[in-house]
């Protein structure tokens, strides 16, 4: 891991708020791995191999039913850590994770994590904070599904993804309209209609499997 990689990881809210000693110990056994676009990191039912953080690129979290239909749950952007659920319950992976784009990740092996926690049990609290942050997002998502209009759901999802990418008023999000439909539980037709409206308002620009956010602040206002 080079200095540029470390700088990206430090941008993450969870990691940057941990103690310097915890950061050092977590990264001590971290290795950089690379994935091509479309390559699987792990699949539902796989054994827990450890914790990951995205350095470059975007990862896609999804599930597939018996007929092969994929439901996209979320995308994981740079500086975000994931894989902590299996660390707590010792179970198998709950979903499929693929590289949406070419990606570089940090990987901290499961054995190194267990050794670290055995030596310093208080670090369970740090990983508990990571898990709690994901739970808060889940509860918010469930509430949004029940209370927001279709346009509000789309705008909020775009704002969330844009904010995770860069702290600016513009961003590039790599996803198709069908994937956005899966994430918001809306139809492909409804998504297209909403995106066309937002495009006419000059808030976004539509491209093949890519959405350019032109005015994140105005999108956020539409959510409320």
């Amino acid at each position: 891991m080079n200095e540029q990689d470390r700088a990206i990881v430090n941008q993450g809210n969870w990691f940057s708020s941990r103690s310097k000693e915890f950061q050092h110990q977590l990264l001590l056994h971290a290795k950089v791995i690379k994935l091509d676009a479309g390559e699987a990191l792990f699949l539902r039912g796989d054994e827990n191999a450890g914790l990951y953080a995205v350095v470059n690129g975007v990862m896609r979290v999804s599930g597939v039913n018996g007929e092969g239909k994929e439901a996209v749950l979320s995308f994981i952007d740079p500086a975000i850590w994931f894989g902590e659920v299996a660390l707590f319950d010792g179970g198998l992976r709950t979903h499929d994770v693929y590289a949406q784009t070419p990606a570089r990740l940090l990987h901290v092996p499961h054995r190194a994590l267990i050794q670290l926690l055995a030596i310093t049990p208080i670090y369970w609290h740090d990983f508990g904070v990571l898990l709690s942050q994901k739970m808060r997002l889940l509860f918010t998502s469930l509430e949004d599904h029940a209370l927001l209009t279709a346009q509000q759901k789309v705008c909020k999802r775009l704002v969330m993804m844009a904010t995770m990418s860069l702290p600016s008023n513009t961003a590039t999000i790599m996803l198709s309209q069908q994937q956005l439909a899966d994430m918001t539980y809306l139809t492909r037709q409804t998504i297209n209609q909403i995106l066309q409206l937002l495009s006419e308002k000059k808030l976004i620009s539509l491209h093949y499997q890519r959405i350019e956010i032109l005015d994140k602040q105005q999108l956020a206002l539409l959510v409320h």
Side-chain angles (χ1 to χ4, degrees), residues 22-58:
F22 176 84
Q23 293 179 9
H24 172 74
Q25 292 297 329
L26 184 60
L27 297 181
L28 193 60
H29 299 286
K31 303 294 182 182
V32 175
I33 61 175
K34 298 180 181 180
L35 295 175
D36 295 326
E39 187 175 353
L41 176 63
F42 56 75
L43 301 176
R44 174 180 287 165
D46 283 353
E47 295 285 344
N48 173 22
L51 199 65
Y52 300 89
V54 179
V55 177
N56 298 114
V58 178

Side-chain angles (χ1 to χ4, degrees), residues 139-157:
F139 289 143
T140 299
S141 178
L142 292 173
E143 181 179 347
D144 291 346
H145 180 62
L147 301 178
L148 298 184
T149 66
Q151 178 174 287
Q152 287 175 316
K153 290 178 184 178
V154 172
C155 290
K156 184 167 185 178
R157 177 64 66 168

